[in-house]
Amino acid sequence: ENAHIIEVMPQDYMLGLYYWLAYTLGIKYYDVVIGGALQGGEAFYLEIDLLEKAVIKMLNTRVYS
């Protein structure tokens, strides 16, 4: 009941797999596009300050059941 998922993805490649998995399990899900473009199909640049802001926002978001 207290689980949260924050998914970090590149700006040019998004899938809904983890969203549906979290939804099915009743887990709070936050998708965050804070990466740069996918490079070579394997890596992307991650903005650490944006990740930190996203985590803080997620932790401060009140979820009503």
Side-chain angles (χ1 to χ4, degrees), residues 5-57:
I5 292 176
I6 186 165
E7 183 175 6
V8 177
M9 5 182 177
Q11 65 186 0
D12 58 349
Y13 185 80
M14 292 182 242
L15 293 174
L17 175 65
Y18 291 106
Y19 167 79
W20 289 111
L21 180 60
Y23 178 80
T24 301
L25 296 173
I27 298 172
K28 296 155 197 80
Y29 173 89
Y30 303 84
D31 60 332
V32 182
V33 179
I34 53 179
L38 196 59
Q39 300 169 1
E42 297 180 3
F44 62 95
Y45 179 78
L46 179 62
E47 300 264 349
I48 298 300
D49 59 326
L50 294 177
L51 175 60
E52 182 179 13
K53 288 177 185 177
V55 170
I56 290 169
K57 181 179 178 182

